[in-house]
């Protein structure tokens, strides 16, 4: 006999198994939620509905896999509950430090019915203006009937920008793993090898290292962008099957992902030899990198650092070859979720660096094809802002002395 629609629940709790070991202790997540509630009170919100991967993971420990389904975290004055789809069964409960509700898919919008079971109706609801789609915003208003809505995305971003000691320890481990991938890539470089073969060597080395360091973690999303020749002109160009040739400029980019936390190593290299025009540009970018790192210290603004580096490059007639900002924050982010846009080294960002922030220095110069020294030159280190200055936690060497290989 088939159950009728009236017998089938809209949502339920499926607390299957024991809680998993998360990247941080419960006290870490409790402190984050406490800080969030203070920010909610300041903003006037008495319920928050988060829908982004980064905020849900930051506040609960659960990193979802959407596949077109909505996911959420609801926080009120007394509750914190992740909302997940039935296809995930008990995994969201095990990976959430807090409570979890599973919604069913036999009826459209059971997600919002589950959310409402926590928030109630007629509340002042906080949401993420940089993530919630127009369609889902309409549904939030239809189902929750809020008195009003407030955008919590800016204040949660500011909270995520300030790292706890536990976060810095995880980021430091990630930087170490990125170095492991860098050395594996260097060892794989030789004439005739394809970009994809080199990239796989780096990725495999990092995944093995993450599994060794974090035996209780979930393993996903670690990747490498290894580019050669013309393919180095953009920082985010995908890997190809191009075979390496002697004299090629290379761009090594390793990205270990540990429980949603992103770190990176990026380096310029050459296969076998580097011509004089390329060497001149490379050395200039290395000098820019070193100068930029010397500027990172508490009390200086992102804009001030950016303008100083702009002047440094302009004096060398190279500023026209810069293609993006000089660095960004780290934390719960990836190439498809998250970004702490308030901590980027750009002209329009006035955020002042403070101890506990983590930021990269990554100047890039792109010389167009056909010009002497053509290609993309980029160095990338991760620095933790301290009381006195900044600590560089990247170990893999940069510059021509170590990175003319193969």
């Amino acid at each position: 006999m088939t159950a009728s629609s009236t017998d089938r629940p809209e949502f339920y709790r499926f607390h299957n198994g024991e809680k998993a070991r998360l990247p941080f202790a419960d006290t870490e997540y409790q402190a984050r939620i406490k800080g969030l509630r203070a920010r909610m009170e300041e903003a006037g919100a008495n319920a928050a509905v988060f829908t982004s991967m980064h905020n849900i993971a930051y506040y609960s420990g659960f990193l979802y896999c959407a596949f077109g389904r909505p996911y959420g975290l609801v926080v009120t004055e007394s509750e914190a509950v992740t909302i997940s789809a039935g296809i995930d069964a008990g995994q969201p409960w095990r990976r959430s430090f807090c409570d979890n509700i599973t919604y069913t898919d036999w009826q459209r919008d059971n997600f919002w019915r589950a959310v409402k079971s926590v928030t109630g109706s007629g509340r002042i609801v906080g949401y993420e203006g940089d993530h919630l789609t127009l369609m889902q915003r309409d549904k939030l208003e239809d189902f929750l009937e809020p008195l009003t809505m407030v955008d919590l995305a800016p204040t949660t971003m500011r909270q995520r920008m300030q790292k706890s000691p536990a976060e810095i320890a995880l980021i430091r481990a990630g930087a170490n793993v990125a170095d492991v991938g860098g050395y594996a890539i260097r060892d794989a470089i030789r004439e005739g090898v394809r970009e994809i073969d080199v990239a796989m060597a780096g990725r495999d080395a990092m995944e093995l290292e993450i599994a060794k360091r974090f035996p209780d973690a979930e393993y996903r999303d670690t990747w490498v962008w290894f580019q050669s020749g013309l393919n180095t002109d953009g920082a985010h160009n995908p890997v190809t099957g191009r075979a390496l040739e002697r004299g090629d400029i290379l761009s090594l980019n390793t990205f270990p992902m540990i429980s949603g936390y992103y770190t990176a190593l990026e380096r310029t290299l050459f296969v076998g030899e580097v011509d004089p025009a390329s060497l001149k540009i490379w050395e200039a970018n290395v000098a820019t990198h070193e100068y930029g790192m010397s500027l990172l210290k508490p009390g200086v603004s992102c804009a001030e650092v950016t303008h100083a580096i702009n002047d440094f490059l302009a004096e060398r007639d190279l500023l026209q070859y810069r293609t993006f900002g000089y660095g960004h924050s780290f934390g719960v982010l990836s190439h498809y979720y998250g970004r702490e846009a308030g901590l980027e080294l750009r002209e329009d960002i006035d955020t002042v660096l403070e101890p506990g922030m983590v930021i990269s220095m990554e100047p890039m110069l792109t010389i167009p094809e056909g010009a002497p020294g053509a290609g993309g030159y980029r160095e990338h280190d991760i620095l933790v802002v301290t009381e006195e200055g900044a600590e560089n936690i990247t170990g893999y060497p940069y510059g021509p002395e170590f990175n003319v290989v193969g």
Side-chain angles (χ1 to χ4, degrees):
M1 179 180 292
T2 302
S4 69
S5 62
T6 57
D7 297 327
R8 301 169 68 187
E10 297 168 339
F11 51 87
Y12 57 94
R13 283 174 167 82
F14 188 51
H15 296 177
N16 193 39
E18 300 296 323
K19 288 284 194 181
R21 183 176 179 182
L22 298 181
F24 305 104
D26 281 1
T27 52
E28 173 82 9
Y29 294 107
Q30 289 162 357
R32 295 178 186 184
I33 293 289
K34 181 179 179 181
L36 169 63
R37 286 183 173 131
R39 291 172 180 272
M40 289 169 58
E41 183 177 4
E42 183 179 0
N46 45 36
V49 179
F50 297 110
T51 50
S52 69
M53 295 181 75
H54 44 280
N55 266 340
I56 293 174
Y58 179 77
Y59 291 113
S60 77
F62 170 52
L63 187 67
Y64 66 72
C65 175
F67 256 111
R69 297 177 175 89
Y71 284 74
L73 168 68
V74 182
V75 179
T76 66
E77 300 97 323
S78 59
E79 295 185 82
V81 187
T82 52
I83 312 293
S84 60
I87 194 170
D88 294 323
Q91 188 259 5
W93 151 253
R94 295 191 295 273
R95 290 283 169 182
S96 299
F97 104 92
C98 53
D99 194 7
N100 170 262
I101 294 176
T102 298
Y103 71 91
T104 60
D105 62 4
W106 68 269
Q107 178 182 221
R108 190 174 299 277
D109 295 326
N110 279 345
F111 169 78
W112 287 107
R113 295 181 179 93
V115 170
K116 185 178 180 179
S117 74
V118 183
T119 64
S121 58
R123 311 294 297 280
I124 301 174
V125 177
Y127 69 103
E128 294 171 270
D130 60 355
H131 187 267
L132 196 66
T133 65
L134 293 174
M135 180 184 73
Q136 295 293 4
R137 180 192 166 103
D138 288 345
K139 291 186 177 185
L140 187 158
E141 293 187 273
D142 290 344
F143 280 87
L144 305 190
E145 301 174 301
L147 288 175
T148 189
M149 296 171 61
V150 294
D151 184 7
L152 295 178
T155 190
T156 56
M157 177 188 66
R158 288 192 295 271
Q159 184 177 0
R160 297 196 315 273
M161 279 164 39
Q162 191 73 41
K163 310 305 179 195
S164 70
E167 284 184 286
I168 292 173
L170 182 61
I171 292 169
R172 188 185 302 274
N176 296 159
V177 173
D179 288 341
V180 169
Y183 288 114
I185 285 173
R186 186 179 187 276
D187 290 342
I189 293 171
R190 59 184 182 275
E191 293 179 56
V193 175
R194 299 176 303 172
E195 288 182 9
I196 183 63
D197 298 316
V198 179
M200 287 190 294
R203 182 203 63 204
D204 290 351
M206 289 192 293
E207 290 189 332
L208 288 170
E209 185 69 15
I210 294 169
K212 182 175 72 174
R213 289 171 177 257
F214 299 92
D216 298 310
E218 296 176 322
Y219 308 117
R220 54 171 154 169
D221 300 335
T222 290
W223 86 103
V224 166
W225 282 325
F226 179 76
Q227 302 134 346
S228 65
L230 178 61
N231 199 31
T232 64
D233 68 343
H236 298 165
N237 294 354
V239 174
T240 75
R242 181 183 182 276
L244 307 189
E245 301 175 7
R246 186 171 183 82
D248 272 346
I249 185 173
L250 308 174
S251 188
L252 176 162
N253 310 271
T254 65
F255 306 107
M257 295 294 300
I258 304 171
S259 299
Y261 274 74
Y262 163 99
T263 47
L265 166 71
E266 301 171 11
R267 290 289 183 260
T268 304
L269 304 93
F270 275 78
V271 180
E273 62 185 17
V274 52
D275 63 275
S278 298
L279 181 61
K280 183 178 179 181
I281 300 296
W282 190 5
E283 289 178 336
N285 201 55
V286 166
T288 306
H289 183 56
E290 292 177 337
Y291 175 65
M293 288 192 291
S294 76
L295 299 174
L296 299 178
K297 59 189 67 173
V300 65
S301 75
C302 294
E304 289 170 337
V305 172
T306 302
H307 287 300
I309 300 174
N310 283 348
D311 291 344
F312 185 90
L313 287 172
E315 290 169 1
R316 290 153 180 80
D317 195 27
L318 293 172
L319 182 58
Q320 65 270 30
Y321 300 121
R322 169 200 160 189
T323 57
F324 60 92
Y326 297 115
H328 59 80
S329 183
F330 288 80
V332 184
L333 68 150
S334 173
H335 54 322
Y336 58 92
Y337 60 83
R339 193 161 187 94
E340 294 167 12
L343 188 56
E344 296 190 9
L345 297 176
R346 297 186 343 205
E347 291 87 344
D348 60 338
I349 303 295
D350 294 324
T351 303
V352 174
L353 299 185
E354 300 175 7
M357 291 179 171
V358 182
I359 193 167
S360 61
M361 175 53 59
E362 49 178 305
M364 180 173 183
L365 300 175
T366 297
I367 310 301
E369 190 73 0
Y377 301 76
R378 187 169 69 261
E379 315 298 339
H380 175 297
D381 288 41
I382 302 172
L383 295 98
V384 178
V385 181
T386 65
E387 296 288 345
E388 296 78 25
E391 177 192 0
N392 189 341
I393 61 174
T394 296
Y396 182 100
Y398 55 78
E401 185 175 341
F402 189 73
N403 291 303
V404 178
V405 299

